[in-house]
Amino acid sequence: MHPSSNSGGKVLIIGSGVGGLSTAIILSKLGYDVTIIEKNRQPGGMLRSFVRRGVHCNVGVHYLGALAQDQVLRRCFDFLGITDDLPLVRMGENGPVDRYHFSGNHLDVETFDLVDGFDEYAQNLYAAFPSQEKQVGALMTLLRQSARHLDSLDFLYADHPGTFWIDQTEALGTIFDQLGCSPGLRAVFGLPSVFIGVPPSRCPLFFHAMTLASYLFSAWRLDHQGPSLADVLTRRLTDLGGRVLTGRAVTAIRTHGKQVAGVTLSSGETLDAATVIGAIHPKAILPLLDPQAVKASYRRRILGLTDTDAMVGIHALVPAAKHPAQTHNTFLIETEPDGAIDDLIYLQLRPSGKPGQNLLTLLTSGHEHLWQPWNQTRSGRRGPEYMAAKTAFAQKIIAETERLTGRFHDLQIIDVYTPLTFRDWVSTPEGSAYGVMRSTVQLMSAAVLNRTSIKGLFLAGQSVLAPGVLGTILGSLTTVQFIVGSKRFRREVRV
């Protein structure tokens, strides 16, 4: 692996989500002169909460895993230098982290609690599936093995990291088949892969384990009264001398021969740099490049990637006296008879910061067909019919939720966002919530997205390795490794 030729020089990063901000911080710590360019008025991408009626509503960060002392995400945050500034609240100390409710009566399970700790989780599995003791034991062995690799980060520092991935890429669904797992066990154990947008039948073992294991290590929320993760990351970058230019859209990535030369902004201004990092969806990078600068095979490869599905988010205020805050997340899950996940509703009920009111958050699948009439419009310009459609859909999802929770009294919907909102805010095609799908059917085409065929042009963000805060930061680390070279990375980047 060869380091970038301008080691310690100027770097331009397109996009200020967790991928852009974490990559910028790491490179700033290594002495690079880093500037992030963000098209929106505020940095943060899906990290950014927004305010409705004085209440902070989260978009992409609803809870985090592996943040206890010496755990893998905590070590990443410590290396970035942001841990002490985050308002962290631990989940699962006096109850579950997640509570699953399965609709229908065709599974051998109705409810299941995901709890803090591997041993405790295994005990719950054994109790829920007493006839599947052998299968549970085998699944836990695989999970613990993957968790050890994740915690050690040996795939970042190994001489030949590819050998690790070969042993971790078998589909979870294939493992279920080999072990003879019941539909209920498949639904419970496989559900965390849905959190990253990949069906268990096509989810590589390690990506599922990265999600599930992180919450079993420990689970956390950000306190609503503290600064957002986006604010903390941005402040850390500026403290290190980096810059974030907001309200500036990149219209072109300039190249000279096979070498990147800088970017052009919508204002016509040009910024020069021999290293440019696109921390947005890979498909959003292609239109910024001169068609002659990119090999046709690379273009076909990127355009052919399948993305994860989109989602709809609903935020509402409810009276705290009638609807107390919950310390756990709730999932209402529809499954097929074989245990495959058909659809789900995620529910979080937490303090809003407003006296006497709690914030109800519901997330569900994108139902993209509903929003097609407004596909050619932009946020803020979709009109009353779109608002009515959003409200009607939100009321439908709330009614479905109330079949489990009971009626929500005096509920006030304060915001609904759709796949079109995701698409416009973070430039993800079709509003995909988790970027490129990390499925077994496109492992090769989605491999090593960090590097491009243009010298000095790299990619970061949730699409390059894995989604979620942890997966995206690990992707940032691998991108930095390509830029600075393996030797310097091992010497100076110790997580």
Side-chain angles (χ1 to χ4, degrees), residues 106-107 183 186-187 199-201 333-343:
H106 52 260
L107 296 186
R186 290 169 183 254
S201 61
I333 307 155
E334 297 179 10
T335 65
E336 301 292 342
D338 63 358
I341 308 300
D342 187 43
D343 203 354

Side-chain angles (χ1 to χ4, degrees), residues 134-365:
K134 178 181 177 181
Q135 289 84 349
V136 169
L139 291 174
M140 288 304 302
T141 296
L142 291 171
L143 178 62
R144 291 177 191 274
Q145 176 185 344
S146 296
R148 286 193 295 271
H149 284 297
L150 173 63
D151 189 62
S152 69
L153 296 180
D154 52 6
F155 57 94
L156 279 178
Y157 297 102
D159 289 329
H160 302 287
T163 57
F164 161 78
W165 293 107
I166 292 172
D167 295 332
Q168 300 286 326
T169 54
E170 190 170 16
L172 184 61
T174 301
I175 295 170
F176 287 156
D177 291 341
Q178 293 170 347
L179 294 175
C181 296
S182 71
L185 180 56
R186 290 169 183 254
V188 166
F189 194 83
L191 183 61
S193 74
V194 181
F195 301 169
I196 57 173
V198 189
S201 61
R202 290 178 283 156
C203 186
L205 175 64
F206 183 69
F207 292 113
H208 167 270
M210 180 182 292
T211 305
L212 176 54
S214 67
Y215 296 124
L216 296 181
F217 281 130
S218 63
W220 305 74
R221 287 177 178 170
L222 296 175
D223 192 296
H224 68 281
Q225 296 179 336
S228 73
L229 181 54
D231 292 330
V232 172
L233 285 165
T234 302
R235 186 165 59 246
R236 174 59 173 156
L237 174 61
T238 56
D239 287 345
L240 290 167
R243 293 172 298 279
V244 181
L245 303 180
T246 56
R248 319 274 186 96
V250 173
T251 57
I253 297 173
R254 295 182 292 109
T255 58
H256 182 71
K258 296 295 184 179
Q259 168 72 51
V260 74
V263 303
T264 301
L265 306 184
S266 54
S267 62
E269 180 184 4
T270 60
L271 302 177
D272 297 332
T275 300
V276 173
I277 301 170
I280 56 178
H281 196 288
K283 292 178 184 177
I285 291 292
L286 289 179
L288 304 179
L289 292 164
D290 186 319
Q292 303 303 316
V294 182
K295 293 180 180 179
S297 58
Y298 179 80
R299 184 178 295 274
R300 287 194 300 270
R301 174 189 167 205
I302 297 300
L303 293 177
L305 291 172
T306 299
D307 293 322
T308 58
D309 291 335
M311 68 170 62
V312 173
I314 302 161
H315 295 288
L317 293 176
V318 294
K322 295 180 179 178
H323 304 288
Q326 297 178 355
T327 58
H328 64 273
N329 304 305
T330 300
F331 291 83
L332 292 72
I333 307 155
E334 297 179 10
T335 65
E336 301 292 342
D338 63 358
I341 308 300
D342 187 43
D343 203 354
L344 62 80
I345 299 172
Y346 164 92
L347 182 155
Q348 189 178 79
L349 185 57
R350 58 185 296 176
S352 70
K354 298 191 74 171
Q357 293 184 306
N358 285 332
L359 178 64
L360 172 69
T361 298
L362 302 174
L363 303 176
T364 191
S365 56

Side-chain angles (χ1 to χ4, degrees), residues 46 182 264 330 371 403 488:
M46 288 174 60
S182 71
T264 301
T330 300
W371 323 113
R403 288 188 292 181
R488 186 180 181 194

